[in-house]
Amino acid sequence: MPIPLQRLFTYQITEAEASFLEPGMRVAVEFGKSKIYTALVAEIHQQPPTAYEAKDIFQILDKESIVTQKQLEHWQWIAEYYLCSVGEVMRSALPSALLLESETQVLKNQQFVDVDDLSDDEFLIIEALEHQSILPLQKISDILDKKRILPIIHNLLEKKAVVIKEEIIEQYKPKLVDYIKLSEEYTSDEKLNELLNDLSRAKQQHNTVLTYFSLQAQTKKPIKLKQLKDAGGVSDAVIKALLDKNIFEKYHIQTDRVIFDDATDRLKQLTDYQLEAFESIKDQFNTKDVVLLHGITSSGKTEIYVKLIDEVLQQGKQVLYLVPEIALTTQLIQRLQRYFGNKIAVFHSKYSLNERVEVWNNVLHNSENAQLILGPRSALFLPFSELGFVIVDEEHETSYKQFDPAPRYHARDTAIVLASQHNAKVLLGSATPSIESYYNVNQQKYGLVELNRRYQDILLPEIELVDIKEGYRKKRMTGHFSERLFLLIEEALREKEQIILFQNRRGYSPVVECKACGVAPQCVNCDVSLTYHKFSNELRCHYCGYHIPLPETCGACGSPTLDTKGFGTEQIELELQEFFPDAKAARMDLDTTRGKYGYQKILDAFKAHDIDILVGTQMLSKGLDFANVSLVGVLNADNMLNFPDFRAHEKSFQLLTQVSGRAGRAKKRGKVIIQTYNPYHQILQQVTTNDFVTMYKEQLDERYAHNYPPLARLVKITLKHKDYIKVNSAAEWLYKSFYNSFGTLVLGPTSPAISRIRNQHIKTLLIKLPKDKPLKQSKAIIQKIKNSFQSIADFRAVRFNVDVDSY
């Protein structure tokens, strides 16, 4: 069941139901007093439960299994490895349209007559039930214009004025397209002539029938109703008249909401270096199940993927292509569609509920239009039946890690387990591999193939470090642009080339501060300052969404002198409009890409050269390919380097190398300007020379010294509660319990950098598990302590989250 409980539950069924049901089918079951949930059949057995009486199932929801046996096994592995329940995995894996939950419906008790005892709100509900016999809670909320309506319903129940019942609401609705055909009666020429003579006076009906024959002759396919209306300019009344006379018959055909066009291009010829890498990958697959393709930016990794995908598809097997960001799927779809046409299926959260259910069903039935599945981490939960190959592109990306809610899985590692269940091969691709993956290569667990030449032998971009400390001291900065970056932007615009500017912070300014007293407005729900968004002229919290209009005076001292500190993408966009009024600047961050086609609109406009300068956050750094970009500017590299995280230097190297790789991908060599207060930092020096191996060795030495992954496993325990004293005492109790089992391997308890989010105080503990100690045994201890913790009455309300491999 999609609830965070560790165990499975037994329900009783009839013999007929037992012969029909199979593992992976959905059934509606009552759980608790009245709530109805969608449950999945795990197994059918003959052992009745001893601790409780088995209830009957409420309803069978499927004619066939919608989850495969391999999926159930995969979910079980995720639950065991990441210390969560199978129910949490199920809720994360299934499209929410398949997770039917009952909706509470309110009905009037017909015996109730004493309306004088009712409050105004209660009377309004009873009056509404006179007009409509049954009302869902949402409708009652709208009628009263209140969010908290449950106390009012509770009062009505106590007064026996209403009764409630639970009703299952089906969310998925298949898309049906209306088609039209001529009635069987008029198939002979004789009957057809008679029909046309009969309709000679009804001119529009006569013309509609002739239009139908004309379309049939042209297309030789079934005729859609809309097609007939558009071709003949036919009104609904004319169609209705022909249907009433039984001249036409209307029927429906179920169709997918997202359909891709047929393939248009043949596969590109690989260069000698790409071909060598391609053959080497196939060679390595003979001895290794996982291969890491370490190819520098713009080396043509995607073309190698395409060639490998084509070979697997020809064997009649499915391919899963994982990408870290939805933004990447936009460009990839266009590229892959040219080669594979309507064999592609895309699965991500920007798709509607119905579209995701259709992709799920197509993958389940191994449909022709779901052979190559493209998507972010959620795509690995699809019900594959013939999975033959998995690609994890940009495998180093932290976007592959799910942090909240559970299951807190890493898509790269989970995909490797999924592939092993299907006996499929995995290719990890990156210009800057994660230290964990490169470590596994050196431990002989993964194969390694290197691609050190850019496509068409274009040189890597020339990277310059600019000291902005000197720039500010000598007053040579224009806004947030150094003299060197400003000149290069002017030069690129003169040459009609495009520019990408990177600033890993959205909004206008992260802090608004009073010049008189130094107080900055804080979020009321979180321990963080509010970010100023100039476009909407408001202060907004990026953690809980709380927002207020920008105050005109300081809330503490009343002074009108408010000043902004720091800068985000919005401020850079406005500065560009001021300094380069003739250039078209656009912004790509979470604020501008919220809609379904938000990414696509911006990327298409950039590709069509409607945008000259694109400012963005980290979503710009990954795998985007624009031939006309000659300059990339990083406006402040120090934020990332100084972040309190053991992976800060590794992430900075990856992000800066990736964003640099967007420059000079065709024709001429690109330029990259990295602005920093410390140009002599070792990581920045390694970025300028693209020296991944030295960075890897230095970082591995540091992690060896301090016992961090990949040389140890991290398990992070997070406690949350609105009462600080309660969460603090819970953390102390937990530390003592873990210390008894793990000793000095336990770090904490500590408060994170932002110690209160959404009015929940946070405490964390970190357990470093050595690689040589059995992981299963350690996890069993953690689970046992968690169970003991949750059995203490004082701590029951404290949220306890476990995150395995929390990085």
Side-chain angles (χ1 to χ4, degrees):
M1 270 184 286
I3 47 178
L5 295 174
Q6 292 293 340
R7 49 181 296 187
L8 302 178
F9 294 89
T10 300
Y11 284 78
Q12 65 181 21
I13 51 175
T14 64
E15 277 189 35
E17 286 169 337
S19 62
F20 177 77
L21 284 170
E22 291 174 4
M25 278 186 174
R26 290 177 309 154
V27 288
V29 295
E30 197 177 313
F31 189 77
K33 287 183 180 175
S34 60
K35 193 75 177 166
I36 294 169
Y37 286 96
T38 303
L40 274 178
V41 178
E43 63 172 311
I44 295 156
H45 60 84
Q46 299 288 345
Q47 291 89 40
T50 52
Y52 57 93
E53 193 179 332
K55 293 180 181 178
D56 292 326
I57 62 168
F58 184 76
Q59 189 180 339
I60 296 173
L61 299 171
D62 297 312
K63 292 176 183 172
E64 60 176 2
S65 298
I66 63 152
V67 173
T68 66
Q69 188 59 44
K70 278 187 175 154
Q71 261 183 303
L72 291 171
E73 289 165 14
H74 190 227
W75 292 2
Q76 191 62 48
W77 177 85
I78 293 171
E80 286 172 8
Y81 186 83
Y82 291 103
L83 291 176
C84 61
S85 67
V86 183
E88 288 170 313
V89 183
M90 174 188 169
R91 183 171 280 284
S92 187
L94 282 177
S96 50
L98 294 176
L99 282 171
L100 311 182
E101 279 185 22
S102 61
E103 188 174 22
T104 305
Q105 307 277 4
V106 180
L107 298 86
K108 188 188 172 192
N109 182 358
Q110 296 306 325
Q111 277 77 46
F112 180 76
V113 286
D114 197 2
V115 290
D116 297 334
D117 284 352
L118 301 178
S119 68
D120 291 347
D121 284 341
E122 291 165 1
F123 183 77
L124 269 175
I125 295 170
I126 296 297
E127 197 175 37
L129 286 167
E130 295 287 353
H131 298 289
Q132 198 173 328
S133 60
I134 192 163
L135 286 172
L137 288 180
Q138 185 57 50
K139 195 81 181 277
I140 293 171
S141 178
D142 295 342
I143 290 166
L144 300 179
D145 196 21
K146 287 184 177 178
K147 284 187 178 175
R148 288 191 74 244
I149 59 162
L150 290 180
I152 303 165
I153 301 294
H154 182 70
N155 288 342
L156 285 169
L157 283 167
E158 282 191 340
K159 292 172 185 176
K160 295 189 168 50
V162 296
V163 289
I164 60 170
K165 73 167 190 174
E166 298 289 321
E167 189 173 299
I168 289 182
I169 309 297
E170 177 66 75
Q171 295 182 59
Y172 171 62
K173 290 182 176 63
K175 184 182 179 183
L176 300 173
V177 178
D178 291 336
Y179 281 79
I180 206 148
K181 65 178 181 180
L182 199 63
S183 182
E184 294 288 327
E185 195 183 326
Y186 301 106
T187 48
S188 67
D189 291 347
E190 189 184 329
K191 286 280 185 186
L192 207 52
N193 286 328
E194 262 180 55
L195 171 65
L196 292 170
N197 288 332
D198 290 346
L199 293 176
S200 56
R201 289 185 181 181
K203 235 177 186 178
Q204 284 188 315
Q205 293 179 24
H206 184 269
N207 289 341
T208 304
V209 174
L210 290 177
T211 305
Y212 172 82
F213 287 129
S214 167
L215 284 171
Q216 206 173 38
Q218 285 169 29
T219 63
K220 294 184 172 58
K221 287 179 182 176
I223 309 298
K224 289 178 188 173
L225 181 56
K226 188 179 182 302
Q227 194 182 356
L228 180 62
K229 282 182 182 176
D230 293 346
V234 183
S235 69
D236 287 335
V238 174
I239 298 288
K240 188 176 183 304
L242 289 166
L243 288 169
D244 290 345
K245 290 177 181 177
N246 291 327
I247 295 167
F248 277 155
E249 290 175 14
K250 190 161 84 168
Y251 62 103
H252 314 286
I253 293 180
Q254 188 176 330
T255 185
D256 287 346
R257 286 170 170 83
V258 181
I259 301 169
F260 293 104
D261 297 332
D262 291 337
T264 54
D265 296 4
R266 294 177 66 184
L267 267 59
K268 278 186 185 174
Q269 194 75 33
L270 297 180
T271 63
D272 291 346
Y273 305 108
Q274 286 174 327
L275 197 61
E276 192 182 320
F278 170 73
E279 295 297 345
S280 182
I281 290 166
K282 284 170 60 178
D283 248 11
Q284 298 257 14
F285 277 149
N286 291 329
T287 54
K288 298 274 195 295
D289 290 329
V290 183
V291 172
L292 173 66
L293 174 59
H294 180 197
I296 58 170
T297 55
S298 194
S299 57
K301 293 188 287 292
T302 308
E303 297 305 328
I304 296 171
Y305 298 160
V306 165
K307 191 88 171 158
L308 289 162
I309 289 166
D310 187 53
E311 287 198 355
V312 176
L313 292 182
Q314 283 179 18
Q315 295 165 20
K317 293 196 171 180
Q318 293 166 310
V319 176
L320 172 60
Y321 192 140
L322 290 176
V323 289
E325 292 265 5
I326 296 169
L328 270 183
T329 61
T330 306
Q331 253 206 335
L332 265 174
I333 291 163
Q334 294 166 353
R335 286 177 76 173
L336 296 174
Q337 193 193 320
R338 296 202 297 266
Y339 304 130
F340 303 112
N342 55 9
K343 288 182 179 178
I344 298 177
V346 180
F347 188 84
H348 58 63
S349 59
K350 296 278 186 192
Y351 270 26
S352 71
L353 294 178
N354 289 327
E355 286 167 347
R356 276 182 270 173
V357 172
E358 281 164 7
V359 174
W360 181 280
N361 290 334
N362 287 338
V363 174
L364 179 67
H365 298 121
N366 200 8
S367 162
E368 187 59 34
N369 52 359
Q371 295 300 298
L372 168 56
I373 293 89
L374 182 69
R377 60 176 183 254
S378 56
L380 62 81
F381 287 119
L382 288 165
F384 299 98
S385 51
E386 287 291 330
L387 186 63
F389 185 40
V390 178
I391 296 168
V392 184
D393 197 16
E394 310 294 354
E395 64 83 27
H396 63 277
E397 274 297 333
T398 45
S399 312
Y400 281 126
K401 172 71 177 169
Q402 161 90 0
F403 289 104
D404 264 317
R408 296 172 180 84
Y409 65 97
H410 197 297
R412 177 194 62 218
D413 304 338
T414 310
I416 290 170
V417 174
L418 175 73
S420 73
Q421 287 180 328
H422 287 265
N423 294 319
K425 302 294 183 185
V426 181
L427 181 65
L428 309 176
S430 179
T432 53
S434 64
I435 284 175
E436 294 80 44
S437 294
Y438 209 75
Y439 179 77
N440 281 332
V441 166
N442 290 332
Q443 296 294 306
Q444 305 298 313
K445 286 183 183 176
Y446 299 172
L448 175 67
V449 174
E450 295 187 300
L451 191 58
N452 293 322
R453 291 213 183 199
R454 274 188 144 192
Y455 187 66
Q456 294 179 335
D457 284 338
I458 292 160
L459 291 171
L460 280 165
E462 181 188 338
I463 301 173
E464 285 182 45
L465 300 175
V466 174
D467 187 347
I468 51 175
K469 183 171 65 181
E470 280 295 296
Y472 280 115
R473 192 174 67 81
K474 294 179 178 176
K475 295 185 169 50
R476 289 181 176 170
M477 299 291 286
T478 309
H480 292 95
F481 300 96
S482 61
E483 192 176 24
R484 178 71 176 142
L485 179 56
F486 198 89
L487 285 169
L488 287 172
I489 291 172
E490 286 182 323
E491 188 185 310
L493 291 172
R494 272 198 307 274
E495 298 288 329
K496 300 279 186 264
E497 291 164 349
Q498 290 170 296
I499 301 141
I500 286 176
L501 296 177
F502 173 77
Q503 169 60 6
N504 208 16
R505 180 173 271 152
R506 63 189 173 100
Y508 182 86
S509 168
V511 181
V512 172
E513 189 179 86
C514 174
K515 281 186 178 177
C517 69
V519 168
Q522 300 283 311
C523 174
V524 295
N525 306 315
C526 313
D527 281 343
V528 68
S529 59
L530 295 170
T531 302
Y532 175 41
H533 286 253
K534 193 165 187 173
F535 181 73
S536 53
N537 199 39
E538 66 181 13
L539 298 175
R540 181 177 286 276
C541 173
H542 288 175
Y543 289 86
C544 71
Y546 170 77
H547 57 94
I548 54 169
L550 178 70
E552 292 181 6
T553 57
C554 172
C557 70
S559 168
T561 54
L562 296 176
D563 190 22
T564 58
K565 299 277 182 192
F567 64 100
T569 50
E570 200 178 322
Q571 191 168 343
I572 299 303
E573 183 189 21
L574 292 169
E575 283 185 358
L576 289 168
Q577 289 166 3
E578 183 189 338
F579 302 144
F580 307 102
D582 298 332
K584 176 77 176 78
R587 180 162 49 97
M588 186 171 167
D589 56 27
L590 192 64
D591 298 323
T592 59
T593 56
R594 288 191 190 277
K596 182 175 177 180
Y597 300 108
Y599 297 105
Q600 201 162 340
K601 284 175 187 168
I602 295 168
L603 295 176
D604 286 351
F606 196 57
K607 193 175 183 179
H609 297 197
D610 294 337
I611 297 169
D612 300 309
I613 308 172
L614 187 58
V615 187
T617 54
Q618 59 175 8
M619 57 179 74
L620 275 181
S621 67
K622 301 157 193 170
L624 299 176
D625 185 9
F626 297 105
N628 199 41
V629 174
S630 65
L631 175 66
V632 166
V634 178
L635 292 157
N636 190 339
D638 303 308
N639 290 350
M640 299 171 281
L641 288 167
N642 301 327
F643 197 73
D645 176 19
F646 78 94
R647 291 188 70 192
H649 286 181
E650 178 196 355
K651 285 181 186 173
S652 300
F653 179 89
Q654 289 164 344
L655 201 53
L656 293 170
T657 304
Q658 289 285 345
V659 81
S660 302
R662 303 313 110 212
R665 294 176 75 91
K667 300 171 194 166
K668 71 179 220 179
R669 190 181 186 188
K671 279 196 173 73
V672 179
I673 301 294
I674 297 175
Q675 298 187 163
T676 172
Y677 284 93
N678 182 11
Y680 303 106
H681 196 290
Q682 60 185 32
I683 289 292
L684 298 180
Q685 294 293 329
Q686 286 157 2
V687 168
T688 57
T689 55
N690 197 35
D691 192 355
F692 172 80
V693 174
T694 305
M695 185 278 295
Y696 166 76
K697 285 176 180 171
E698 284 180 6
Q699 292 303 306
L700 201 65
D701 287 347
E702 274 187 33
R703 294 185 192 185
Y704 184 79
H706 299 101
N707 196 28
Y708 274 100
L711 302 147
R713 279 197 171 88
L714 285 189
V715 178
K716 184 180 180 184
I717 313 292
T718 307
L719 300 178
K720 295 181 184 179
H721 195 268
K722 60 185 177 184
D723 182 347
Y724 177 77
I725 295 167
K726 188 169 276 192
V727 81
N728 204 39
S729 61
E732 291 298 335
W733 183 93
L734 205 58
Y735 171 74
K736 286 170 188 166
S737 301
F738 281 132
Y739 188 83
N740 290 338
S741 299
F742 298 107
T744 54
L745 298 175
V746 185
L747 303 181
T750 57
S751 297
I754 296 159
S755 60
R756 183 175 61 103
I757 295 175
R758 298 178 192 272
N759 275 325
Q760 299 271 317
H761 294 278
I762 304 168
K763 285 280 181 182
T764 58
L765 292 102
L766 207 58
I767 306 170
K768 293 179 179 178
L769 300 176
K771 278 279 177 90
D772 54 0
K773 196 173 179 180
L775 188 61
K776 206 168 184 178
Q777 191 181 323
S778 301
K779 284 179 181 173
I781 296 167
I782 293 169
Q783 188 63 52
K784 193 176 176 183
I785 292 171
K786 181 183 178 181
N787 294 342
S788 302
F789 175 88
Q790 289 174 334
S791 67
I792 298 170
D794 282 355
F795 300 154
R796 210 164 283 156
V798 178
R799 282 178 61 191
F800 186 119
N801 294 336
V802 185
D803 189 355
V804 179
D805 299 342
S806 57
Y807 50 88

